[in-house]
Amino acid sequence: TDTTSDDGVYGIAWSPDGSRLAFVSNRGGDNEIYVMNVDGSGVTQLTADPANDRFPSWSPDGSRLLFESNRNGDFEIYVMDADGSNVVNLTDDLASDRFPSWSPDGARIAFASDRAGNSDIYTMGTDGSGVSAVTADAADERTPTWSPDGAWIVFESARGGNTDIYAVRAEGTGVVALTTDADLDWAPAWSPTP
């Protein structure tokens, strides 16, 4: 199951202060990252590369955005300032690294990668160092999102024979199935803390 699209707007991410939205649009002919105010004003294109730039994730302080891009061939994780400047490639692996998600404390990044042959969940430092596997299942696992306290990562997985939502402790223990529906469940998101 792939949660991407080749048209329209998707990958919407609220800024931590709730004033802006980052999103993906192909309005210029390919998938690029944009930001806008929550009232729809101030739409600004942040990336301008002929490759696919997708799935933005804000840093907890709102100063930077993670995203995935295949600008160097396969998908890798990049980070940029919130104005689109200072783009840095964080991963450079022969596998595809996708669906980045910033931890609430700003210290780690969760992402999905097929570096072990199928897509599993990994974490790394914000500079791309210290890559660590969180899951190691034969099924594909994608779209990780951190719990507000940073203790859990929720993700989609086909480990039960069907795509459902699972949670795992951030260090990789205690996997729990959250859905077991016959239909496909994917792209989970945590609600913010009150």
Side-chain angles (χ1 to χ4, degrees):
T1 303
D2 193 351
T3 58
T4 63
S5 169
D6 288 331
D7 55 29
V9 172
Y10 63 97
I12 300 166
W14 286 90
S15 65
D17 67 2
S19 68
R20 295 178 295 162
L21 296 171
F23 63 96
V24 179
S25 175
N26 70 353
R27 61 183 67 193
D30 64 331
N31 292 316
E32 300 292 353
I33 309 286
Y34 293 77
V35 293
M36 68 178 171
N37 299 321
V38 294
D39 66 1
S41 67
V43 175
T44 304
Q45 183 175 342
L46 298 184
T47 62
D49 193 278
N52 290 300
D53 297 332
R54 310 185 298 200
F55 296 102
S57 175
W58 293 90
S59 63
D61 67 2
S63 68
R64 297 184 292 164
L65 283 160
L66 294 169
F67 65 100
E68 70 175 46
S69 179
N70 62 349
R71 58 182 64 191
N72 289 333
D74 65 333
F75 280 99
E76 301 293 348
I77 308 299
Y78 292 79
V79 65
M80 65 182 163
D81 291 346
D83 63 2
S85 64
N86 300 316
V87 176
V88 176
N89 183 349
L90 296 179
T91 63
D92 187 16
D93 195 89
L94 294 176
S96 286
D97 297 329
R98 303 188 58 208
F99 306 109
S101 177
W102 220 305
S103 68
D105 66 3
R108 302 286 292 165
I109 295 166
F111 63 102
S113 178
D114 61 2
R115 47 184 78 196
N118 61 290
S119 186
D120 281 305
I121 306 302
Y122 292 80
T123 62
M124 66 180 171
T126 58
D127 63 357
S129 66
V131 174
S132 178
V134 176
T135 66
D137 195 87
D140 283 332
E141 301 177 327
R142 299 183 179 106
T143 63
T145 304
W146 295 85
S147 63
D149 65 3
W152 291 84
I153 298 172
V154 69
F155 60 98
E156 68 184 61
S157 175
R159 63 174 57 201
N162 179 57
T163 301
D164 279 301
I165 306 301
Y166 290 79
V168 62
R169 292 194 180 278
E171 70 276 2
T173 62
V175 176
V176 178
L178 300 179
T179 66
T180 56
D181 193 82
D183 291 319
L184 303 178
D185 299 328
W186 67 83
W190 286 91
S191 67
T193 55

Short mmCIF file of all heavy atoms in Angstrom, two decimals, residues 8-15 20-27 31-37 40-47 53-58 65 67 80:
data_model
loop_
_atom_site.label_atom_id
_atom_site.label_comp_id
_atom_site.label_asym_id
_atom_site.label_seq_id
_atom_site.Cartn_x
_atom_site.Cartn_y
_atom_site.Cartn_z
N GLY A 8 -2.94 16.42 -7.16
CA GLY A 8 -3.61 17.03 -6.03
C GLY A 8 -2.68 17.50 -4.93
O GLY A 8 -1.49 17.68 -5.13
N VAL A 9 -3.25 17.70 -3.76
CA VAL A 9 -2.54 18.17 -2.58
C VAL A 9 -2.61 17.07 -1.54
O VAL A 9 -3.66 16.48 -1.31
CB VAL A 9 -3.19 19.46 -2.04
CG1 VAL A 9 -2.58 19.87 -0.72
CG2 VAL A 9 -3.06 20.59 -3.06
N TYR A 10 -1.50 16.79 -0.87
CA TYR A 10 -1.48 15.77 0.18
C TYR A 10 -0.27 16.00 1.08
O TYR A 10 0.47 16.95 0.89
CB TYR A 10 -1.46 14.36 -0.42
CG TYR A 10 -0.23 14.04 -1.23
CD1 TYR A 10 0.84 13.36 -0.66
CD2 TYR A 10 -0.13 14.43 -2.55
CE1 TYR A 10 1.97 13.08 -1.40
CE2 TYR A 10 0.99 14.14 -3.30
CZ TYR A 10 2.04 13.47 -2.71
OH TYR A 10 3.16 13.19 -3.44
N GLY A 11 -0.08 15.13 2.05
CA GLY A 11 1.06 15.25 2.95
C GLY A 11 0.99 16.51 3.80
O GLY A 11 2.00 17.15 4.05
N ILE A 12 -0.18 16.87 4.28
CA ILE A 12 -0.37 18.11 5.02
C ILE A 12 0.20 17.96 6.44
O ILE A 12 -0.05 16.96 7.11
CB ILE A 12 -1.85 18.49 5.08
CG1 ILE A 12 -2.38 18.69 3.65
CG2 ILE A 12 -2.08 19.72 5.92
CD1 ILE A 12 -3.88 18.74 3.54
N ALA A 13 0.96 18.96 6.89
CA ALA A 13 1.55 18.95 8.22
C ALA A 13 1.37 20.32 8.87
O ALA A 13 1.78 21.33 8.31
CB ALA A 13 3.03 18.59 8.14
N TRP A 14 0.76 20.34 10.07
CA TRP A 14 0.58 21.58 10.82
C TRP A 14 1.90 22.01 11.43
O TRP A 14 2.65 21.18 11.94
CB TRP A 14 -0.40 21.37 11.97
CG TRP A 14 -1.83 21.28 11.58
CD1 TRP A 14 -2.50 20.13 11.25
CD2 TRP A 14 -2.78 22.34 11.48
NE1 TRP A 14 -3.81 20.44 10.95
CE2 TRP A 14 -4.01 21.78 11.09
CE3 TRP A 14 -2.69 23.71 11.69
CZ2 TRP A 14 -5.15 22.55 10.91
CZ3 TRP A 14 -3.83 24.48 11.51
CH2 TRP A 14 -5.04 23.90 11.12
N SER A 15 2.19 23.30 11.41
CA SER A 15 3.37 23.80 12.13
C SER A 15 3.11 23.67 13.63
O SER A 15 1.95 23.65 14.07
CB SER A 15 3.64 25.26 11.76
OG SER A 15 2.59 26.11 12.20
N ARG A 20 0.74 27.72 10.48
CA ARG A 20 1.03 27.42 9.07
C ARG A 20 0.83 25.94 8.77
O ARG A 20 0.84 25.10 9.66
CB ARG A 20 2.48 27.80 8.73
CG ARG A 20 2.74 29.29 8.81
CD ARG A 20 4.17 29.64 8.51
NE ARG A 20 5.02 29.07 9.57
CZ ARG A 20 6.33 28.90 9.44
NH1 ARG A 20 6.95 29.22 8.34
NH2 ARG A 20 7.04 28.41 10.45
N LEU A 21 0.67 25.67 7.49
CA LEU A 21 0.58 24.30 7.00
C LEU A 21 1.66 24.08 5.97
O LEU A 21 1.87 24.92 5.08
CB LEU A 21 -0.78 24.03 6.34
CG LEU A 21 -2.02 24.13 7.21
CD1 LEU A 21 -3.27 24.06 6.36
CD2 LEU A 21 -2.01 23.01 8.25
N ALA A 22 2.36 22.95 6.08
CA ALA A 22 3.24 22.51 5.00
C ALA A 22 2.46 21.45 4.24
O ALA A 22 1.69 20.68 4.83
CB ALA A 22 4.53 21.93 5.56
N PHE A 23 2.64 21.40 2.92
CA PHE A 23 1.91 20.40 2.13
C PHE A 23 2.66 20.14 0.84
O PHE A 23 3.59 20.84 0.47
CB PHE A 23 0.48 20.88 1.85
CG PHE A 23 0.37 22.14 1.03
CD1 PHE A 23 0.17 22.10 -0.34
CD2 PHE A 23 0.45 23.38 1.65
CE1 PHE A 23 0.07 23.27 -1.09
CE2 PHE A 23 0.35 24.56 0.91
CZ PHE A 23 0.16 24.49 -0.46
N VAL A 24 2.23 19.10 0.15
CA VAL A 24 2.79 18.71 -1.14
C VAL A 24 1.76 19.01 -2.22
O VAL A 24 0.57 18.74 -2.04
CB VAL A 24 3.14 17.20 -1.17
CG1 VAL A 24 3.70 16.80 -2.52
CG2 VAL A 24 4.11 16.87 -0.06
N SER A 25 2.22 19.59 -3.31
CA SER A 25 1.35 19.84 -4.45
C SER A 25 2.13 19.65 -5.74
O SER A 25 3.34 19.88 -5.77
CB SER A 25 0.80 21.28 -4.40
OG SER A 25 0.04 21.56 -5.56
N ASN A 26 1.41 19.23 -6.77
CA ASN A 26 2.03 19.13 -8.09
C ASN A 26 1.56 20.26 -9.00
O ASN A 26 1.63 20.16 -10.21
CB ASN A 26 1.77 17.76 -8.73
CG ASN A 26 0.33 17.57 -9.15
OD1 ASN A 26 -0.53 18.40 -8.86
ND2 ASN A 26 0.05 16.49 -9.83
N ARG A 27 1.16 21.36 -8.40
CA ARG A 27 0.65 22.50 -9.18
C ARG A 27 1.66 23.03 -10.18
O ARG A 27 1.28 23.66 -11.15
CB ARG A 27 0.16 23.61 -8.26
CG ARG A 27 1.22 24.19 -7.36
CD ARG A 27 0.69 25.24 -6.40
NE ARG A 27 -0.20 24.62 -5.44
CZ ARG A 27 -1.01 25.31 -4.65
NH1 ARG A 27 -1.03 26.63 -4.69
NH2 ARG A 27 -1.80 24.70 -3.81
N ASN A 31 5.88 17.05 -7.80
CA ASN A 31 5.60 17.15 -6.38
C ASN A 31 6.63 18.03 -5.67
O ASN A 31 7.82 17.70 -5.66
CB ASN A 31 5.58 15.76 -5.74
CG ASN A 31 4.42 14.94 -6.21
OD1 ASN A 31 3.30 15.44 -6.31
ND2 ASN A 31 4.65 13.68 -6.52
N GLU A 32 6.16 19.12 -5.10
CA GLU A 32 7.01 20.06 -4.38
C GLU A 32 6.39 20.36 -3.01
O GLU A 32 5.18 20.17 -2.80
CB GLU A 32 7.16 21.38 -5.16
CG GLU A 32 7.78 21.24 -6.53
CD GLU A 32 9.24 20.84 -6.56
OE1 GLU A 32 9.88 20.76 -5.50
OE2 GLU A 32 9.75 20.59 -7.67
N ILE A 33 7.22 20.86 -2.09
CA ILE A 33 6.76 21.25 -0.76
C ILE A 33 6.39 22.74 -0.76
O ILE A 33 7.15 23.57 -1.27
CB ILE A 33 7.86 21.02 0.30
CG1 ILE A 33 8.43 19.60 0.22
CG2 ILE A 33 7.34 21.35 1.70
CD1 ILE A 33 7.56 18.51 0.72
N TYR A 34 5.25 23.04 -0.19
CA TYR A 34 4.76 24.41 -0.05
C TYR A 34 4.40 24.66 1.41
O TYR A 34 4.17 23.70 2.16
CB TYR A 34 3.48 24.62 -0.88
CG TYR A 34 3.67 24.56 -2.37
CD1 TYR A 34 3.81 23.35 -3.04
CD2 TYR A 34 3.68 25.73 -3.13
CE1 TYR A 34 3.98 23.30 -4.42
CE2 TYR A 34 3.83 25.69 -4.51
CZ TYR A 34 3.98 24.47 -5.15
OH TYR A 34 4.14 24.43 -6.50
N VAL A 35 4.31 25.91 1.78
CA VAL A 35 3.74 26.31 3.08
C VAL A 35 2.72 27.41 2.82
O VAL A 35 2.77 28.10 1.80
CB VAL A 35 4.80 26.81 4.10
CG1 VAL A 35 5.72 25.68 4.51
CG2 VAL A 35 5.56 28.00 3.58
N MET A 36 1.79 27.53 3.76
CA MET A 36 0.80 28.62 3.70
C MET A 36 0.29 28.87 5.10
O MET A 36 0.44 28.03 6.00
CB MET A 36 -0.35 28.27 2.76
CG MET A 36 -1.24 27.17 3.25
SD MET A 36 -2.60 26.90 2.08
CE MET A 36 -3.30 25.41 2.75
N ASN A 37 -0.31 30.03 5.28
CA ASN A 37 -1.00 30.34 6.53
C ASN A 37 -2.27 29.50 6.60
O ASN A 37 -2.80 29.06 5.58
CB ASN A 37 -1.33 31.83 6.59
CG ASN A 37 -0.09 32.69 6.56
OD1 ASN A 37 0.93 32.34 7.17
ND2 ASN A 37 -0.15 33.79 5.83
N GLY A 40 -5.18 30.08 4.30
CA GLY A 40 -4.97 29.89 2.86
C GLY A 40 -4.14 30.96 2.20
O GLY A 40 -3.80 30.86 1.03
N SER A 41 -3.77 31.99 2.94
CA SER A 41 -2.97 33.06 2.37
C SER A 41 -1.48 32.72 2.45
O SER A 41 -1.07 31.80 3.16
CB SER A 41 -3.23 34.38 3.11
OG SER A 41 -2.75 34.30 4.45
N GLY A 42 -0.68 33.48 1.74
CA GLY A 42 0.77 33.36 1.83
C GLY A 42 1.34 32.05 1.33
O GLY A 42 2.33 31.57 1.87
N VAL A 43 0.75 31.47 0.29
CA VAL A 43 1.26 30.22 -0.25
C VAL A 43 2.66 30.46 -0.83
O VAL A 43 2.86 31.35 -1.65
CB VAL A 43 0.33 29.64 -1.35
CG1 VAL A 43 0.94 28.40 -1.98
CG2 VAL A 43 -1.03 29.34 -0.77
N THR A 44 3.63 29.66 -0.35
CA THR A 44 5.02 29.81 -0.77
C THR A 44 5.59 28.45 -1.12
O THR A 44 5.49 27.50 -0.34
CB THR A 44 5.87 30.42 0.37
OG1 THR A 44 5.28 31.66 0.77
CG2 THR A 44 7.30 30.65 -0.06
N GLN A 45 6.19 28.36 -2.29
CA GLN A 45 6.85 27.12 -2.70
C GLN A 45 8.24 27.07 -2.07
O GLN A 45 9.02 28.00 -2.21
CB GLN A 45 6.96 27.05 -4.22
CG GLN A 45 7.57 25.77 -4.72
CD GLN A 45 7.58 25.67 -6.24
OE1 GLN A 45 6.85 26.40 -6.93
NE2 GLN A 45 8.39 24.77 -6.76
N LEU A 46 8.54 25.97 -1.36
CA LEU A 46 9.83 25.84 -0.68
C LEU A 46 10.85 25.06 -1.49
O LEU A 46 12.04 25.33 -1.40
CB LEU A 46 9.66 25.18 0.69
CG LEU A 46 8.80 25.90 1.70
CD1 LEU A 46 8.82 25.16 3.03
CD2 LEU A 46 9.24 27.34 1.88
N THR A 47 10.42 24.03 -2.20
CA THR A 47 11.35 23.23 -3.01
C THR A 47 11.08 23.47 -4.48
O THR A 47 9.96 23.80 -4.87
CB THR A 47 11.23 21.72 -2.69
OG1 THR A 47 9.92 21.27 -3.01
CG2 THR A 47 11.55 21.43 -1.23
N ASP A 53 9.48 15.78 -4.19
CA ASP A 53 9.74 16.22 -2.83
C ASP A 53 8.42 16.09 -2.08
O ASP A 53 7.43 16.73 -2.45
CB ASP A 53 10.22 17.68 -2.81
CG ASP A 53 11.54 17.85 -3.55
OD1 ASP A 53 12.32 16.89 -3.61
OD2 ASP A 53 11.78 18.96 -4.06
N ARG A 54 8.42 15.24 -1.02
CA ARG A 54 7.13 14.89 -0.40
C ARG A 54 7.25 14.69 1.11
O ARG A 54 8.33 14.59 1.66
CB ARG A 54 6.60 13.59 -1.01
CG ARG A 54 6.58 13.57 -2.51
CD ARG A 54 5.95 12.36 -3.09
NE ARG A 54 6.62 11.12 -2.78
CZ ARG A 54 6.47 10.00 -3.48
NH1 ARG A 54 5.69 9.98 -4.54
NH2 ARG A 54 7.10 8.90 -3.13
N PHE A 55 6.11 14.59 1.74
CA PHE A 55 5.92 14.23 3.15
C PHE A 55 6.72 15.11 4.11
O PHE A 55 7.61 14.64 4.82
CB PHE A 55 6.19 12.74 3.36
CG PHE A 55 5.20 11.89 2.63
CD1 PHE A 55 5.54 11.29 1.44
CD2 PHE A 55 3.91 11.77 3.10
CE1 PHE A 55 4.61 10.55 0.72
CE2 PHE A 55 2.97 11.02 2.40
CZ PHE A 55 3.32 10.41 1.21
N PRO A 56 6.38 16.40 4.19
CA PRO A 56 7.06 17.30 5.12
C PRO A 56 6.72 16.98 6.58
O PRO A 56 5.62 16.51 6.89
CB PRO A 56 6.53 18.68 4.73
CG PRO A 56 5.16 18.40 4.17
CD PRO A 56 5.30 17.08 3.46
N SER A 57 7.68 17.21 7.45
CA SER A 57 7.50 17.04 8.90
C SER A 57 8.24 18.18 9.59
O SER A 57 9.44 18.35 9.39
CB SER A 57 8.04 15.69 9.36
OG SER A 57 7.97 15.56 10.77
N TRP A 58 7.54 18.96 10.40
CA TRP A 58 8.11 20.12 11.08
C TRP A 58 9.00 19.71 12.25
O TRP A 58 8.69 18.76 12.97
CB TRP A 58 7.01 21.01 11.66
CG TRP A 58 6.16 21.69 10.65
CD1 TRP A 58 5.00 21.22 10.11
CD2 TRP A 58 6.36 22.98 10.08
NE1 TRP A 58 4.48 22.13 9.23
CE2 TRP A 58 5.29 23.22 9.19
CE3 TRP A 58 7.35 23.95 10.24
CZ2 TRP A 58 5.18 24.40 8.47
CZ3 TRP A 58 7.23 25.13 9.50
CH2 TRP A 58 6.16 25.36 8.63
N LEU A 65 12.12 21.79 8.33
CA LEU A 65 11.21 20.77 7.80
C LEU A 65 12.02 19.60 7.25
O LEU A 65 12.99 19.79 6.51
CB LEU A 65 10.36 21.34 6.66
CG LEU A 65 9.21 22.24 7.03
CD1 LEU A 65 8.78 23.08 5.85
CD2 LEU A 65 8.04 21.39 7.52
N PHE A 67 11.79 16.19 4.80
CA PHE A 67 11.00 15.72 3.67
C PHE A 67 11.74 14.59 2.98
O PHE A 67 12.93 14.37 3.21
CB PHE A 67 10.66 16.85 2.69
CG PHE A 67 11.84 17.48 1.99
CD1 PHE A 67 12.17 17.11 0.69
CD2 PHE A 67 12.62 18.44 2.62
CE1 PHE A 67 13.25 17.71 0.03
CE2 PHE A 67 13.69 19.03 1.97
CZ PHE A 67 14.01 18.67 0.68
N MET A 80 15.49 21.01 5.64
CA MET A 80 15.70 22.38 5.17
C MET A 80 15.16 23.34 6.21
O MET A 80 14.35 22.96 7.07
CB MET A 80 15.02 22.61 3.83
CG MET A 80 13.52 22.52 3.86
SD MET A 80 12.80 22.76 2.22
CE MET A 80 11.15 22.11 2.45
#
